[in-house]
Amino acid sequence: GNWARAAAQQSLTESDLLDFQSFGNVTLVHVTDIHAQLVPIYFREPSVNLGIGAVAGLPPHVTGADLLKLYNIEPGSAHAYALTSVDFDALAKTYGRMGGFDRIATIVKRIRAERGDNMLLLDGGDTWQGSYTSLQTKGQDMVDAMNVLQPDAMTGHWEFTYGTDRVKELVESLPFSFLGGNIFDTEWDEPAFDAYKMFDRGGVKVAVIGQAFPYTPIANPRWMFPEWSFGIREEEVAKNVEAARAEGADLVVLLSHNGFDVDRALASRVKGIDVILSGHTHDALPEPLLVDKTLLVASGSHGKFVARLDLDVQGGELKGFRHRLIPVFSDVITPDADMAKLVSDLRAPYEAELKRELATTESLLYRRGNFNGTFDDMICQALLEVREADIALSPGFRWGTSVLPGQKITVEDVHSACAMTYPAVYRSSMSGQTIKDILEDVADNLFNKDPYYQQGGDMVRVGGMGYTINPDGAMGSRISDMTLLKTGESIDASRDYVVAGWASVNEGTEGPAIWDVVEEYLTQNPVVRLEENRSVKVVS
Amino acid sequence: VAFAATGLRARTALAGTEETEKRILDFAGKAPESGKITLTAPEIAENGNTVPVSVKVDSAMSDDDRVVSVMIVADGNPNPEVATFHFTALSGAAAATTRIRLAQTQNVIAVAKMADGSVFMDKKEVKVTIGGCGG
Amino acid sequence: MAAAPKPRVKVPKTAKAGEVVLLKTLISHEMESGQRKDKDGNTIPRKIINKFSCEFNGEQVFSCDIDPAISANPYFEFSAKVNESGAFKFSWVDDDGSVYTDEQKIEVK
Ligand SMILES: [Mn+2]
Ligand SMILES: [Mn+2]
């Protein structure tokens, strides 16, 4: 289709990306997991993204050359660059940065001009966190920028890490709905947010149900929002679908931050959802996936893509669709002047600090991958050296931008990988057994055969140690051959090791902020060069 | 990663499957069948100190089709007993919710005793974890 | 010593005759399980709410036998069929013999 044709072209124009033969009577525009990236960025997609059990080898668990083959995308093309890690450093030089709110604004305005009142703009969450400026303004910069795009609804995940009071303050300020049918108060177990909202678009009654990240209080510090409980709450989703239909909905959309495999399972278990706009696991799928009668749309992350889904809805039934995952090539799409001005104003107070150079990297720095990423290798090195530890543990976040070989590492780059409200670097003594328990526990949260037990994200990154993992193994038996790299000796279950790590969910964790630790390391190591990480061995 | 910098879990003696089964048999008088009762609990506990657990029994709550009691047990706590609900004709619906403590990942089991002497059970594994990372 | 247990309940103000209404109850209570040890290694004695019950106009609606695995600040949610106006009486029995009660009226229209 359009994708393959456009992909075959080496030079893109704005109309290649945005010309779209309107279809049907409703258009959904989906952005998700922007992680507070207001300006164009480099972002390397993962080369390893394992699917477990029944979904092994199925999208989105297809990466690199396999993905190009599956979707008939020309290697070396612009779309190959946008969707895979293949030849990333070389292609990044050719095709440049992606995303940026001024470019996204151009796309949204154009679709709105074409579709008028038939369009809904929906934000899947993880919008307010992930950059220096969002941390400084506690999400205000993102709220201001998103408001200009005029979204119709959003849901959330990292938003909650600003804490109850700030979340309430921002949510109350929004000129649109913050939806979360799976968020309840912990005291009386009553809905804490609106579950869904009805819209009239092109004569079609559209119900948008919000589903926040079900494991927010586990993956993030629940003490920051103790009065809210989450969970998948499949029965609530079903109840809300039914209520929306009873209220006359012709089209039911789940604006979800469940993660793709959870959404795929949910689609097969809860009937009556026409479209799931899926977020959290940061997958960019060039085509929707059909599960029974539900379309699953995954629209990438960091502002790299805007998804457009035109739908034909007749007599309360979805009759057909046309979809495009629009890659936001910043060199191809004209910036919207008003948004460019706003973004520049929002960043102005911090510009000098954002641009401050800390070091030069000779290696590509990226984060995505199930087991390691070079940015995290660097962070682990910083934890080991600055905190004088035997072993470093760094969270397997999926947010964080890439830095190309030869580029300076700036304060902005470090914050795009570290900006969060619980950045303390702890230094503590842990037994070999405890370290194994941690790895096993995290592995089970990622690779559990039942998607409802998967929390998204990637494996905790390790520094100073190596291990072997069998992702298909049972809880407690996936991890083996734990080795302390500096001595080459096996890690002893009963011996204690000095461990440095960050982003603990425990209240009262003490230590310097991770960005200060990384900056100190870079001051002492002004040229970063990383060897290929061979410390994690994956077996099946 | 999102876990404690301190120890993960206290090592205590646990009830185990055998003791739990014995407790079920004491309550039910015979091996329960599956069906009629639905136990709802989160897949993963947000906080092992307070895990919401609901039971619902498919029953008209009339004089002859009525649930009398529902016992909840958990097989991975030091003692399996959690609570026993007693319903009456005035209960209207055979459903109740409470919040329980789970020391670790384990099965939560609900057993319903009906007025006619029949017994039913449902089971759900609830995971208690240090937490994963974030997408 | 913890503050005196304080019950709170949520009961609809009105109902139709024969309606099944949802009731929610909470009581502030530490629910000391009897399994914890203090810093000197001595077992902290058990002190829990061991029984909860609800009556309507003197007739039993729902009750619960409680073990130490029930969370601190015990929460119970259940329903009641109301055929006439009257009062729900809720009671919580403490291991130390104390009984805490609350009462809420409902009007049947
Ligand atoms: Mn997320
Ligand atoms: Mn995200």
Side-chain angles (χ1 to χ4, degrees):
Chain A
N2 288 332
W3 188 269
R5 193 178 63 243
Q9 297 172 349
Q10 285 298 308
S11 77
L12 284 172
T13 64
E14 186 168 291
S15 74
D16 288 332
L17 296 176
L18 302 187
D19 285 359
F20 191 104
Q21 211 184 340
S22 294
F23 177 84
N25 42 8
V26 179
T27 294
L28 305 180
V29 178
H30 182 224
V31 290
T32 190
D33 296 271
I34 291 172
H35 284 287
Q37 296 303 322
L38 286 172
V39 297
I41 45 95
Y42 292 109
F43 183 89
R44 175 196 178 274
E45 298 293 333
S47 55
V48 182
N49 180 14
L50 299 178
I52 295 301
V55 302
L58 297 181
H61 307 291
V62 182
T63 55
D66 295 336
L67 185 145
L68 299 179
K69 215 163 137 188
L70 179 67
Y71 292 108
N72 193 22
I73 297 166
E74 186 81 19
S77 67
H79 293 84
Y81 164 63
L83 288 165
T84 72
S85 59
V86 181
D87 290 331
F88 184 82
D89 352 353
L91 296 182
K93 288 182 189 112
T94 307
Y95 295 111
R97 294 173 190 265
M98 298 194 68
F101 259 59
D102 47 6
R103 276 76 168 182
I104 292 172
T106 297
I107 299 171
V108 170
K109 279 186 181 175
R110 174 154 167 189
I111 302 172
R112 192 171 273 131
E114 273 174 46
R115 297 297 270 170
D117 289 341
N118 294 31
M119 183 190 118
L120 280 172
L121 173 62
L122 301 170
D123 172 8
D126 277 358
T127 308
W128 300 349
Q129 172 276 343
S131 71
Y132 184 89
T133 56
S134 66
L135 187 64
Q136 294 297 320
T137 64
K138 300 189 178 69
Q140 191 65 54
D141 64 332
M142 297 310 298
V143 169
D144 291 350
M146 279 307 292
N147 283 351
V148 174
L149 298 180
Q150 298 173 9
D152 294 285
M154 75 177 292
T155 189
H157 167 200
W158 278 88
E159 281 72 12
F160 297 102
T161 63
Y162 288 114
T164 313
D165 292 348
R166 181 60 174 161
V167 173
K168 281 184 177 164
E169 184 179 28
L170 286 177
V171 165
E172 276 159 25
S173 80
L174 297 177
F176 57 90
S177 299
F178 190 108
L179 302 174
N182 60 333
I183 314 172
F184 283 68
D185 81 86
T186 46
E187 191 170 50
W188 293 106
D189 196 34
E190 282 165 10
F193 288 80
D194 289 339
Y196 66 91
K197 188 170 170 172
M198 301 289 285
F199 298 92
D200 204 321
R201 289 294 184 275
V204 177
K205 278 187 108 175
V206 185
V208 177
I209 303 173
Q211 174 85 350
F213 178 49
Y215 296 125
T216 305
I218 301 163
N220 306 91
R222 73 165 183 268
W223 61 266
M224 291 181 164
F225 40 91
E227 51 280 87
W228 290 327
S229 166
F230 296 67
I232 295 175
R233 296 180 189 249
E234 182 187 281
E235 61 294 340
E236 285 297 323
V237 178
K239 218 170 78 185
N240 287 320
V241 171
E242 216 169 285
R245 291 280 180 199
E247 217 178 306
D250 300 303
L251 182 79
V252 175
V253 177
L254 185 70
L255 179 61
S256 167
H257 204 93
N258 274 336
F260 197 85
D261 288 332
V262 177
D263 280 326
R264 175 164 26 210
L266 186 78
S268 72
R269 294 166 58 101
V270 177
K271 301 298 153 201
I273 305 171
D274 297 298
V275 178
I276 299 182
L277 301 173
S278 186
H280 179 60
T281 37
H282 296 193
D283 311 294
L285 288 188
E287 293 168 8
L289 211 87
L290 190 65
V291 175
D292 297 334
K293 289 181 164 177
T294 305
L295 279 178
L296 264 71
V297 173
S299 311
S301 64
H302 296 81
K304 261 182 95 173
F305 302 94
V306 173
R308 173 173 176 175
L309 182 67
D310 281 22
L311 301 166
D312 185 31
V313 183
Q314 302 295 338
E317 256 187 84
L318 178 56
K319 298 290 188 189
F321 71 91
R322 185 171 292 159
H323 166 269
R324 188 185 289 168
L325 181 68
I326 303 166
V328 187
F329 287 102
S330 66
D331 294 342
V332 177
I333 293 168
T334 316
D336 174 81
D338 295 343
M339 183 64 91
K341 165 91 171 59
L342 173 64
V343 169
S344 150
D345 290 349
L346 290 169
R347 288 166 58 88
Y350 314 102
E351 203 60 50
E353 182 65 358
L354 289 167
K355 291 213 156 28
R356 189 160 63 85
E357 294 172 353
L358 303 175
T360 304
T361 183
E362 292 185 354
S363 308
L364 172 68
L365 300 180
Y366 64 91
R367 181 169 263 166
R368 282 298 305 278
N370 281 154
F371 304 101
N372 62 272
T374 49
F375 213 120
D376 290 321
D377 290 343
M378 182 179 83
I379 290 173
C380 285
Q381 211 50 47
L383 291 168
L384 290 176
E385 285 189 24
V386 176
R387 298 295 278 160
E388 295 174 336
D390 302 320
I391 289 169
L393 297 177
S394 186
F397 294 138
R398 290 188 169 195
W399 49 269
T401 57
S402 306
V403 186
L404 301 186
Q407 284 189 322
K408 298 289 182 195
I409 303 169
T410 63
V411 168
E412 176 159 33
D413 294 327
V414 171
H415 270 78
S416 288
C418 301
M420 54 143 62
T421 54
Y422 47 106
V425 175
Y426 61 83
R427 182 178 189 276
S428 64
S429 177
M430 291 186 197
S431 70
Q433 184 61 48
T434 298
I435 297 165
K436 177 163 192 294
D437 287 348
I438 289 170
L439 296 182
E440 290 284 4
D441 230 65
V442 177
D444 197 59
N445 292 337
L446 304 176
F447 302 123
N448 197 297
K449 281 192 176 53
D450 182 345
Y452 275 17
Y453 289 82
Q454 293 174 10
Q455 298 185 14
D458 287 310
M459 192 62 190
V460 51
R461 278 63 168 122
V462 297
M465 67 169 283
Y467 65 91
T468 297
I469 179 166
N470 173 9
D472 294 314
M475 170 69 185
S477 63
R478 290 185 179 90
I479 309 292
S480 58
D481 294 333
M482 287 168 49
T483 309
L484 191 67
L485 295 181
K486 67 181 173 193
T487 61
E489 286 167 13
S490 289
I491 289 178
D492 183 342
S494 58
R495 228 203 85 183
D496 283 347
Y497 299 86
V498 176
V499 178
W502 62 290
S504 165
V505 296
N506 282 29
E507 191 168 8
T509 302
E510 285 178 13
I514 183 64
W515 44 83
D516 290 333
V517 169
V518 173
E519 178 168 345
E520 189 176 334
Y521 171 78
L522 292 177
T523 306
Q524 288 155 17
N525 299 271
V527 178
V528 172
R529 184 170 41 240
L530 295 155
E531 302 302 321
E532 194 186 340
N533 185 331
R534 296 178 190 280
S535 56
V536 182
K537 198 173 153 208
V538 183
V539 298
S540 55
Chain B
V1 83
F3 45 81
T6 52
L8 274 184
R9 52 183 77 102
R11 307 207 174 265
T12 38
L14 303 169
T17 322
E18 211 170 297
E19 199 186 330
T20 307
E21 275 171 11
K22 188 178 169 294
R23 223 50 69 94
I24 292 171
L25 213 58
D26 287 349
F27 171 77
K30 59 184 172 186
E33 302 166 55
S34 61
K36 287 228 182 199
I37 182 164
T38 308
L39 173 84
T40 306
E43 284 78 11
I44 307 178
E46 290 177 358
N47 176 355
N49 288 323
T50 171
V51 182
V53 170
S54 299
V55 294
K56 191 175 180 352
V57 185
D58 179 13
S59 155
M61 292 307 271
S62 58
D63 285 347
D64 47 343
D65 174 14
R66 200 165 70 74
V67 58
V68 178
S69 302
V70 172
M71 180 182 70
I72 297 174
V73 287
D75 66 9
N77 276 348
N79 297 305
E81 299 88 354
V82 174
T84 306
F85 301 138
H86 303 286
F87 297 93
T88 71
L90 277 190
S91 300
T97 297
T98 187
R99 294 170 188 158
I100 73 175
R101 290 167 167 155
L102 295 176
Q104 57 165 7
T105 298
Q106 59 187 290
N107 292 308
V108 180
I109 301 157
V111 186
K113 197 156 39 174
M114 311 298 286
D116 66 2
S118 58
V119 283
F120 298 91
M121 77 172 233
D122 194 18
K123 177 160 100 169
K124 180 146 185 190
E125 188 183 56
V126 178
K127 195 173 155 181
V128 178
T129 172
I130 51 170
C133 301
Chain C
M1 211 44 210
K6 188 170 158 279
R8 284 179 297 157
V9 300
K10 279 200 165 193
V11 175
K13 295 250 178 310
T14 61
K16 293 194 269 292
E19 190 180 337
V20 175
V21 296
L22 188 67
L23 309 176
K24 296 182 175 188
T25 71
L26 264 172
I27 186 165
S28 56
H29 194 284
E30 67 272 31
M31 295 291 282
E32 190 56 60
S33 68
Q35 287 148 8
R36 296 196 316 147
K37 289 190 169 32
D38 66 17
K39 58 182 190 308
D40 302 324
N42 304 314
T43 300
I44 304 171
R46 174 183 139 152
K47 186 182 182 296
I48 69 167
I49 296 287
N50 59 53
K51 178 96 186 168
F52 166 76
S53 62
C54 169
E55 290 175 0
F56 183 67
N57 292 349
E59 256 189 279
Q60 189 79 8
V61 173
F62 172 85
S63 67
C64 182
D65 306 324
I66 301 168
D67 294 293
I70 290 292
S71 307
N73 308 325
Y75 174 84
F76 296 102
E77 183 184 314
F78 52 96
S79 49
K81 188 174 180 178
V82 287
N83 297 314
E84 72 221 338
S85 295
F88 285 104
K89 188 180 173 195
F90 305 92
S91 59
W92 293 260
V93 180
D94 197 306
D95 274 348
D96 70 5
S98 312
V99 178
Y100 312 102
T101 60
D102 198 358
E103 216 173 286
Q104 289 285 321
K105 290 196 173 86
I106 188 166
E107 190 190 345
V108 168
K109 291 183 173 173

